[in-house]
Amino acid sequence: MTANSTNIKKGKVILVGAGPGDPELITMKAVRYLQQADIVLTDRLVSTDIIKQYVKEEAEVIYVGKQCRRGYSTPQESINSYLVEYANEGKSVVRLKGGDVSIFSNILDELQTLVANEIEYEIVPGVTAALGAAAYAGIPLTARDYSTAVRFLTLYKSDIVTEEYWKQLAATTDTLVFYMSSETLNSVVENLVKNNIAADKLLAVVEQATTPLQTVHVTNLYEYTETLKGRTFISPSLVIIGKVVQLYEKFAWLSNSGSKEHYFKPVGKIDALTQEQQAKQAS
Ligand code: SAH
């Protein structure tokens, strides 16, 4: 593809949050932009139903998922160059991200690229996984008398949180929500227990939140070794820690699927169309 020539009007890029899984948890604005889009660059953690239902047939859908540990991942630079390339061709581009666009996503890289290339953009928020999981597990994150605030955190690498911060996290009455941390859960629990987290705070792991395959595991942190340690959680999983997790038992309204199936297909195995498009990307 060639660079923009002066007589083509640049297209616009819309950065859109698709919600956490349930395809109905998408905004009307996101739907409208998807229906208009010529190009959709989508993450892995987006329901394929959203693509099938709203994207027009002539539009091109490019899967740019990141799933580093499984060995397939689209480098951020490629995503950035797609955005520029297609916008310069005058296309209307939707960059679709799981959950909300601003929570643990690479939106900053993309915004910098768009600004540097003088490409117009808009940002459409979405329901982030923490809010989806809280709703579908019946765990109100800041329930009165249980918690006064909520923190969104991550521990995908063990050095992200400092010793001092662990002390604070163990002591706070804020609800803690950890993204991308089910594989480092042992370390999360160890650090909180080491810093004497109160025993009335519980831990919930919500697998595949808001999808028909949602499963919630709840444990006391001091019993974690017997209950959940060593378990492999199905991706994506979210961890909620705090007194509010006590409310799960009473207010859960969705039964656990207990399924080992994956709602979000692994990158590279989405469907024939995707593979064809991936081949196109690679060429
Ligand atoms: N921008 C996204 C988060 C991207 S980081 C958002 O706002 O939700 C990816 C992490 O989000 C996953 O590792 C997992 O911790 C969490 N996540 C996303 N979708 C989820 C889902 N349906 N169920 C549980 N966790 C989810």
Side-chain angles (χ1 to χ4, degrees), residues 19-21 45 97-105 127-130 133 178-182 206-211 235-239 264:
L45 297 180
K97 289 170 175 276
D100 179 70
V101 282
S102 69
I103 303 292
F104 299 120
S105 85
V127 176
T128 190
F178 284 90
Y179 285 71
M180 296 180 282
S181 306
S182 60
V206 187
E207 296 177 313
Q208 313 198 81
T210 80
T211 77
S235 166
S237 282
L238 195 81
V239 177
F264 300 101

Coordinates of all heavy atoms in Angstrom, one line a residue, residues 19-21 45 97-105 127-130 133 178-182 206-211 235-239 264, ligand 1:
G19 N -16.4 -3.8 25.5 CA -17.0 -4.4 26.7 C -16.3 -5.7 27.0 O -15.4 -6.2 26.2
P20 N -16.6 -6.4 28.1 CA -15.8 -7.5 28.6 C -16.1 -8.9 28.0 O -15.3 -9.8 28.3 CB -16.1 -7.5 30.1 CG -17.5 -7.0 30.2 CD -17.7 -6.0 29.0
G21 N -17.2 -9.1 27.3 CA -17.5 -10.4 26.8 C -18.9 -10.5 26.3 O -19.1 -10.6 25.1
L45 N -9.7 -10.2 22.9 CA -10.8 -10.3 24.0 C -12.0 -9.5 23.6 O -12.5 -8.7 24.3 CB -10.2 -9.8 25.3 CG -9.1 -10.7 25.9 CD1 -8.6 -10.1 27.2 CD2 -9.5 -12.1 26.0
K97 N -11.2 -2.6 21.2 CA -10.4 -3.2 22.3 C -11.4 -3.8 23.3 O -12.5 -3.3 23.5 CB -9.6 -2.1 23.0 CG -8.4 -1.6 22.1 CD -7.9 -0.3 22.8 CE -6.6 0.2 22.1 NZ -5.4 -0.5 22.5
G98 N -10.9 -4.9 23.9 CA -11.7 -5.5 25.0 C -12.0 -4.6 26.1 O -11.1 -3.7 26.4
G99 N -13.1 -4.7 26.7 CA -13.4 -3.9 27.9 C -13.5 -2.4 27.6 O -14.1 -2.0 26.7
D100 N -12.7 -1.6 28.4 CA -12.6 -0.2 28.1 C -11.3 0.1 27.5 O -10.3 -0.6 27.7 CB -12.7 0.6 29.4 CG -12.6 2.1 29.2 OD1 -13.5 2.7 28.6 OD2 -11.5 2.7 29.5
V101 N -11.2 1.1 26.6 CA -10.0 1.4 25.9 C -8.8 1.9 26.8 O -7.7 1.8 26.4 CB -10.2 2.5 24.8 CG1 -10.9 1.9 23.6 CG2 -11.0 3.7 25.3
S102 N -9.2 2.5 27.9 CA -8.1 3.2 28.7 C -7.6 2.3 29.8 O -6.6 2.7 30.5 CB -8.6 4.5 29.2 OG -9.5 4.3 30.2
I103 N -8.2 1.2 30.1 CA -7.7 0.3 31.2 C -6.8 -0.8 30.7 O -7.2 -1.7 29.9 CB -8.9 -0.3 32.0 CG1 -9.9 0.8 32.4 CG2 -8.4 -1.1 33.1 CD1 -9.3 1.7 33.5
F104 N -5.6 -0.7 31.1 CA -4.5 -1.7 30.8 C -4.6 -2.1 29.3 O -4.7 -3.3 28.9 CB -4.7 -3.0 31.6 CG -4.5 -2.7 33.1 CD1 -5.5 -3.0 34.0 CD2 -3.3 -2.1 33.5 CE1 -5.3 -2.6 35.4 CE2 -3.1 -1.8 34.9 CZ -4.1 -2.1 35.8
S105 N -4.5 -1.0 28.5 CA -4.4 -1.3 27.0 C -3.3 -0.4 26.5 O -2.8 0.5 27.2 CB -5.7 -0.9 26.4 OG -5.8 0.5 26.1
V127 N -17.4 -1.0 28.8 CA -17.5 -1.6 30.2 C -16.2 -2.4 30.5 O -15.9 -3.4 29.8 CB -18.7 -2.6 30.3 CG1 -18.7 -3.2 31.7 CG2 -20.0 -1.8 30.0
T128 N -15.4 -1.9 31.4 CA -14.2 -2.6 31.7 C -14.5 -4.0 32.5 O -15.5 -4.1 33.1 CB -13.2 -1.7 32.5 OG1 -11.9 -2.4 32.6 CG2 -13.7 -1.5 33.9
A129 N -13.5 -4.9 32.3 CA -13.7 -6.2 32.9 C -14.1 -6.2 34.4 O -14.9 -7.0 34.9 CB -12.4 -7.1 32.7
A130 N -13.5 -5.3 35.2 CA -13.8 -5.2 36.6 C -15.3 -5.0 36.8 O -15.9 -5.6 37.7 CB -12.9 -4.1 37.3
A133 N -17.3 -8.1 35.6 CA -17.2 -9.2 36.6 C -17.9 -8.9 37.8 O -18.6 -9.8 38.4 CB -15.7 -9.4 36.9
F178 N -7.3 -7.1 40.4 CA -6.1 -7.3 39.6 C -6.4 -7.9 38.2 O -7.1 -8.9 38.1 CB -5.2 -8.4 40.3 CG -4.5 -7.9 41.5 CD1 -5.0 -7.9 42.8 CD2 -3.2 -7.3 41.4 CE1 -4.3 -7.4 43.9 CE2 -2.5 -6.8 42.5 CZ -3.1 -6.9 43.7
Y179 N -6.0 -7.1 37.2 CA -6.1 -7.6 35.8 C -4.8 -8.4 35.5 O -3.7 -8.1 36.0 CB -6.1 -6.3 34.9 CG -7.4 -5.6 34.9 CD1 -7.8 -4.8 36.0 CD2 -8.2 -5.6 33.7 CE1 -9.0 -4.1 35.9 CE2 -9.4 -4.9 33.7 CZ -9.8 -4.2 34.8 OH -11.0 -3.4 34.7
M180 N -4.9 -9.2 34.5 CA -3.8 -10.0 33.9 C -2.9 -10.6 35.0 O -1.7 -10.7 34.9 CB -2.8 -9.0 33.1 CG -3.5 -8.4 31.9 SD -2.4 -7.3 31.1 CE -2.4 -5.8 32.1
S181 N -3.5 -11.1 36.1 CA -2.7 -11.5 37.2 C -3.1 -13.0 37.7 O -2.6 -13.4 38.7 CB -2.9 -10.6 38.4 OG -2.6 -9.3 38.0
S182 N -3.9 -13.7 36.9 CA -4.2 -15.0 37.4 C -3.0 -16.0 37.4 O -2.9 -16.9 38.3 CB -5.3 -15.6 36.6 OG -5.0 -15.8 35.3
V206 N -12.6 -14.5 38.8 CA -13.7 -14.6 37.9 C -13.2 -15.0 36.5 O -12.5 -14.1 35.9 CB -14.5 -13.3 37.9 CG1 -15.8 -13.5 37.0 CG2 -14.9 -12.8 39.3
E207 N -13.5 -16.2 36.1 CA -13.0 -16.6 34.8 C -14.1 -16.3 33.8 O -15.3 -16.5 34.0 CB -12.9 -18.2 34.8 CG -11.8 -18.7 35.7 CD -11.8 -20.3 35.6 OE1 -12.9 -20.9 35.7 OE2 -10.7 -20.8 35.5
Q208 N -13.6 -15.7 32.6 CA -14.5 -15.5 31.5 C -15.8 -14.7 31.9 O -16.9 -15.1 31.5 CB -14.8 -16.8 30.8 CG -13.6 -17.7 30.5 CD -13.8 -18.7 29.5 OE1 -13.7 -18.4 28.3 NE2 -14.1 -19.9 29.9
A209 N -15.5 -13.6 32.6 CA -16.6 -12.9 33.2 C -17.6 -12.4 32.1 O -17.2 -12.0 31.0 CB -16.1 -11.6 33.9
T210 N -18.9 -12.4 32.4 CA -20.0 -11.9 31.6 C -20.3 -12.8 30.4 O -21.2 -12.5 29.6 CB -19.9 -10.4 31.1 OG1 -19.0 -10.4 30.0 CG2 -19.4 -9.5 32.2
T211 N -19.6 -13.9 30.2 CA -19.8 -14.8 29.1 C -20.7 -16.0 29.6 O -20.7 -16.2 30.8 CB -18.5 -15.3 28.4 OG1 -18.0 -16.4 29.3 CG2 -17.5 -14.3 28.2
S235 N -8.3 -18.3 30.7 CA -8.1 -16.9 30.3 C -9.3 -16.4 29.5 O -9.8 -17.2 28.7 CB -6.8 -16.9 29.4 OG -6.8 -15.6 28.7
P236 N -9.7 -15.2 29.8 CA -9.2 -14.2 30.7 C -9.8 -14.4 32.1 O -11.0 -14.8 32.2 CB -9.7 -12.9 30.1 CG -10.9 -13.2 29.4 CD -10.8 -14.6 28.9
S237 N -9.0 -14.1 33.1 CA -9.5 -14.2 34.5 C -9.2 -12.9 35.2 O -8.1 -12.3 35.0 CB -8.8 -15.3 35.2 OG -9.4 -16.5 34.9
L238 N -10.1 -12.5 36.1 CA -9.9 -11.3 36.9 C -9.9 -11.7 38.4 O -10.7 -12.5 38.8 CB -11.1 -10.4 36.6 CG -10.9 -9.0 37.0 CD1 -10.1 -8.2 35.9 CD2 -12.3 -8.3 37.1
V239 N -9.1 -11.0 39.2 CA -9.0 -11.3 40.6 C -9.6 -10.1 41.4 O -9.2 -9.0 41.2 CB -7.5 -11.5 41.0 CG1 -7.4 -11.8 42.5 CG2 -7.0 -12.7 40.2
F264 N -13.3 -16.8 24.3 CA -12.5 -16.1 23.3 C -11.5 -17.0 22.7 O -10.7 -17.7 23.4 CB -11.7 -14.9 24.0 CG -12.6 -14.0 24.7 CD1 -12.8 -14.0 26.1 CD2 -13.2 -13.0 24.0 CE1 -13.6 -13.1 26.7 CE2 -14.0 -12.0 24.6 CZ -14.2 -12.1 26.0
Ligands
SAH1 N1 -9.0 -3.1 28.5 C1 -9.5 -4.3 29.1 C2 -8.4 -5.0 29.9 C3 -7.3 -5.5 29.1 S1 -6.0 -6.3 30.0 C4 -10.7 -3.9 30.0 O1 -11.0 -2.8 30.2 O2 -11.3 -4.9 30.6 C5 -6.6 -8.0 29.8 C6 -7.1 -8.5 31.2 O3 -8.4 -8.0 31.5 C7 -7.2 -10.0 31.3 O4 -5.9 -10.6 31.6 C8 -8.1 -10.2 32.4 O5 -7.5 -10.0 33.7 C9 -9.1 -9.0 32.2 N2 -10.3 -9.4 31.5 C10 -10.7 -8.9 30.3 N3 -11.8 -9.5 29.9 C11 -12.2 -10.3 30.9 C12 -13.3 -11.2 31.2 N4 -14.3 -11.4 30.3 N5 -13.3 -11.9 32.3 C13 -12.3 -11.8 33.2 N6 -11.2 -11.0 33.0 C14 -11.2 -10.3 31.9

